[in-house]
Amino acid sequence: MIKENQRFLNRLHILSDGVLVFLSMLAAHWMRFSLFDGVGGLPMRYYLWLGAGAAALYLVSFGAAGLYRSHRAVRFYKEASRTLLVSALDVLILTAVLFALHLDNMSRWLLGFFYLVSSALLLGKRMCLRVLLHRFRAKGYNLKHVVLVGSGPAAKRYLSKIRAQKNLGYQVDGVVSDCGAWGGLSLLGEYAALEEILTRRKPDEVVLAIPAEDNARVPGLISVCEKTGTKASIIPFYAAYLPSNPQIDDLDGLALINLRRIPLDNLGNAFLKRAEDILGSLVLILLTSPLMLIAAVGVKLSSPGPILFCQERVGRDKKVFRMYKFRSMRVNAKQQTGWSTDTDPRKTRFGALIRKCSIDELPQLFNVLRGDMSLVGPRPEVPFYVEQFKEEIPRYMVKHQVRPGITGWAQVCGFRGDTSIEKRIEHDLYYIENWNLLFDVKILLMTVFKAVNSEKLK
């Protein structure tokens, strides 16, 4: 049933996109020539043809970009960012075509309005479709039926994920395993019976989650899936070590899984990230300079000692740098290694105030300008704790592939201060592996509305 439903939904999805793009052109024409009293331009029939051409271009480019594949397990921000990018490229193509055809009277402002209107309609439709499908799937409709093959940790993790997110619409019909039933699933048979099971049940997908000891069976099981024409997905037994978006390299036809290639390894992404940091830190330094001046005077009057607190932290590529803060504690012997808590007796009264509002972190904007830190990234730790945590927490050192940040995904999600280091690293790794500029903007906005008025970002 899912195959028929998916075909119908895809056709409706494509058709509705074409209609929305065409209507966006008409709306852009109304905005340019009626709402904003535009003059000149070409006869209306040219814009009708332009709308039809834009609709055809959008459908082709969206199809080529994979925007009509199932996004059941893809986060909305990824679909939205790709939609905006492909739409922008389409508008540039339309502009180039108009220039090549010497249609100089075609309004360029209209194309700008068209991009804004079409993007809003296309994203709005996708958001509404997701909400609607999530509700249907949570009620047991439009389910994707899955046969789970295997009984190892990877299989159990997969089952717990889809049970926790019923709105994704995955239904495990049973398990195929030589070790018997588990997890409340019905046993459909052993590995040797997979072909007969797939022929009889015709599932939408097979998920192979074979434990390490049975790994030699994988080629035969894949062969069975291909023979029966069943879509197969694999969760390798080493999945816990893979990033969320693993990169596949091609060595003369041999696939190599790169475990630690991240978006910021790309020079273009790295340039955008650094430009964001330089411009952002300069603007914030100018805007907060009066506040920093008040904080400096307050620190000096509150207790003896320097205005700034300098502490060694471990940054990108495990290089040690000096991080700056406004001093919020009395000078003490444990200031380089002591772990700060909410009720730390070393804090001064003024220090407690600036920590509560995160004002003590403002000098780190100069660390960002120097290149030691970023506006957004994993929080840096002192060398003393890095040496301790790298032995205790798996993948802890991966965070040092990027510049540390003043704020980060873990901090805005509540994992700051005296909280779980494991959860903090889990969120840091998610940020590193899924970085994009929109993600940074989201974190910065969340910092403004959540973190600034709470305890300081650790």
Side-chain angles (χ1 to χ4, degrees), residues 191-203:
Y191 294 140
L194 181 60
E195 182 175 349
E196 184 274 328
I197 293 169
L198 298 184
T199 303
R200 173 169 46 87
R201 302 189 69 93
K202 296 181 174 58

Side-chain angles (χ1 to χ4, degrees), residues 6 8 10 17 39 46 118 122 132 143 193 226-227 238 268 303 311 348 371 437 454:
Q6 195 64 54
F8 172 75
N10 282 343
D17 271 359
V39 294
Y46 284 90
S118 61
L122 292 171
L132 187 62
L143 298 179
E226 293 177 343
K227 181 179 179 181
Y238 49 84
S303 68
Q311 188 179 52
T348 64
L437 279 179
S454 63

Side-chain angles (χ1 to χ4, degrees), residues 162-237:
I162 62 172
R163 282 179 171 174
Q165 302 183 66
K166 294 186 181 297
N167 56 9
L168 295 179
Y170 288 95
Q171 174 65 50
V172 178
D173 293 336
V175 62
V176 175
S177 171
D178 286 351
C179 300
W182 57 272
L185 298 173
S186 59
L187 180 66
L188 302 178
E190 298 183 345
Y191 294 140
L194 181 60
E195 182 175 349
E196 184 274 328
I197 293 169
L198 298 184
T199 303
R200 173 169 46 87
R201 302 189 69 93
K202 296 181 174 58
D204 299 303
E205 184 178 0
V206 170
V207 174
L208 302 172
I210 309 300
E213 57 270 20
D214 293 336
N215 198 48
R217 294 179 175 268
V218 171
L221 295 172
I222 293 176
S223 178
V224 169
C225 294
E226 293 177 343
K227 181 179 179 181
T228 58
T230 309
K231 178 184 176 182
S233 298
I234 300 177
I235 306 176
F237 64 87

Side-chain angles (χ1 to χ4, degrees), residues 237-393:
F237 64 87
Y238 49 84
Y241 300 97
L242 292 176
S244 56
N245 293 302
Q247 300 291 318
I248 308 297
D249 294 330
D250 186 348
L251 179 61
D252 193 22
L254 178 64
L256 298 177
I257 302 177
N258 193 311
L259 296 182
R260 288 294 163 253
R261 181 177 295 169
I262 59 175
L264 287 172
D265 286 338
N266 179 279
L267 290 178
N269 289 338
F271 174 80
L272 291 175
K273 176 74 166 172
R274 186 63 188 138
E276 169 198 328
D277 287 338
I278 293 174
L279 293 175
S281 60
L282 284 174
V283 170
L284 289 174
I285 287 171
L286 290 174
L287 292 177
T288 61
S289 54
L291 188 58
M292 284 196 276
L293 179 60
I294 295 172
V297 173
V299 170
K300 192 64 179 177
L301 296 176
S302 64
S303 68
I307 294 173
L308 292 179
F309 170 64
C310 302
Q311 188 179 52
E312 288 190 342
R313 298 286 179 114
V314 180
R316 188 176 65 168
D317 298 328
K318 296 172 284 187
K319 294 180 180 178
V320 176
F321 69 97
R322 294 180 67 81
M323 190 182 77
Y324 303 108
K325 296 183 180 184
F326 285 121
R327 183 173 56 84
S328 59
M329 296 186 182
R330 299 174 182 87
V331 177
N332 61 90
K334 294 184 179 181
Q335 59 187 22
Q336 292 298 324
T337 60
W339 189 271
S340 175
T341 62
D342 293 342
T343 57
D344 201 312
R346 297 172 294 170
K347 286 191 295 187
T348 64
R349 185 171 300 179
F350 184 77
L353 174 63
I354 61 175
R355 282 165 64 95
K356 184 176 183 180
C357 301
S358 297
I359 296 173
D360 66 323
E361 308 282 0
L362 291 179
Q364 290 167 40
L365 292 171
F366 293 97
N367 283 118
V368 175
L369 198 58
R370 288 178 51 182
D372 297 325
M373 296 179 65
S374 177
L375 292 176
V376 181
R379 285 295 288 167
E381 200 55 79
V382 297
F384 176 84
Y385 287 111
V386 170
E387 292 300 315
Q388 175 183 333
F389 293 148
K390 75 177 185 180
E391 301 294 340
E392 300 174 355
I393 302 172

